[in-house]
Amino acid sequence: MVRWCLTSTTPPLSSSLGAMSVGRVIAGFVGITGVLVGVLGLFAFFTGHLVLLASFVPILLVVAAIGTVVLAAVRQWVLVIVGAIVIVIGAVTQAPLFVENSSAGADGRSVRLMQANLMLGKADASALVAMVRDRNIDILTVEELTDEAVEGLREAGLEDVLLHQFLAPFTLGGGTGIYSRFPVSDGRNLDGYILGNLVADLDVGASQPLTLFAVHPIAPFPRSSEWMSEMTRLRGDAAAVGDGTVVLSGDFNSTYSHRKFRDFFDDGFTDAADWLGAGIIPTYPTDMAYPPVVAIDHVLTKNADATSIESFHIAGSDHRGLVADIRLAE
C-alpha cells in the first residue's frame, strides 16, 4: 500500500499570527517614531515633553531605521514603506549638519575660542587651564561659574594666559564668565534670564570689535515655557547688535532639532558644526555609563566663519567642551 504524504508550503497559522503580531508592534513603534521625527525635527516648537524629545531626533531616527529593517524581515512591506518615509523625513531634518558650506568665508584674522560648562563649578581647574595653554586659546566662555571656580582658575594660572575677563559668578549653575587675551569692554549681564547670560566687546585688533555672548538659557524641561521665552529673548538680544561681528558661545540647552535654535539662522547666524559639515557633536551628558547623546553646546557666528571645531573632555564636568577656530570679517 502506497501512502501519500502531503507537505504544505503554507506556513503554520501560529507562525503567521506571530509575524503579524510582531509587525503590528513594530508598526506602532515606527509610526510613533515617524510622527516624532517629522513633527519634532521639522517644527519642534511645542512645550513640555515634546520639547525635550526634540533633542533626541537623531536617536529616534536610528530607532526608526532599526524598526524598518525588522519590518522587512517579517515582510510587512507596506509598513517598510512607512518606515522608509520616516527615515527620509529624518534625513531632511539632519542632513544639513553633514554638508560643508562652500560659500566664500570671512578673510580677516583668526581667533581660537573654547567653550566649557563647569558643572556647578566642580570641573578640574588645573586640567582646564592646561588645556587652554596647550590649545593656545584666545577666548574662553564658561558656564556654571562659582566664586570657588573663579578662585580655582586663578590659582591654576588662567589669568596669566587670558589676562582680560568679564565674570558674573553665582551659586550652583547660575554663573557665567568670559576670559580673553584681548581687552574686554562694555560687559553686561543680560536681563530677563534665570541663569547668567553675558555680552561684551572684545578688541581683537580689527576695524570693529568682536561682540561676544556667553550664553546659558534655562533647560527646556521641566521649564519649557521659560526656555522658549529665553531663546526668543536671546535671539532678540543677539540681533540687536546689528551688522557687526558677533559670536554666541555657550550651553544653549538646545539642539539643531529645536526650531527655536534654528531661528537664529534667519538672522544671519551660522552654527559652527553646521557650517563645517561636522555633523552632530554630542556634548551632554558625560557623567553617565553611556556616552554623551545630545549636542547642546554650540558656537554661533555672524560676519565670521568657523574654520574648525572639535569637542574635548572636561575633567570633573558633565559636559564635553568645544574648541573652534573662527575667522573674522575685516
Side-chain angles (χ1 to χ4, degrees), residues 1 16 63 77 211 314:
M1 184 176 65
S16 298
V63 170
W77 301 118
T211 300
I314 304 174

Side-chain angles (χ1 to χ4, degrees), residues 8-25 73-76:
S8 174
T9 57
T10 303
L13 180 60
S14 58
S15 298
S16 298
L17 291 176
M20 291 175 64
S21 298
V22 171
R24 289 192 187 100
V25 170
V74 296
R75 300 184 179 184
Q76 300 291 316

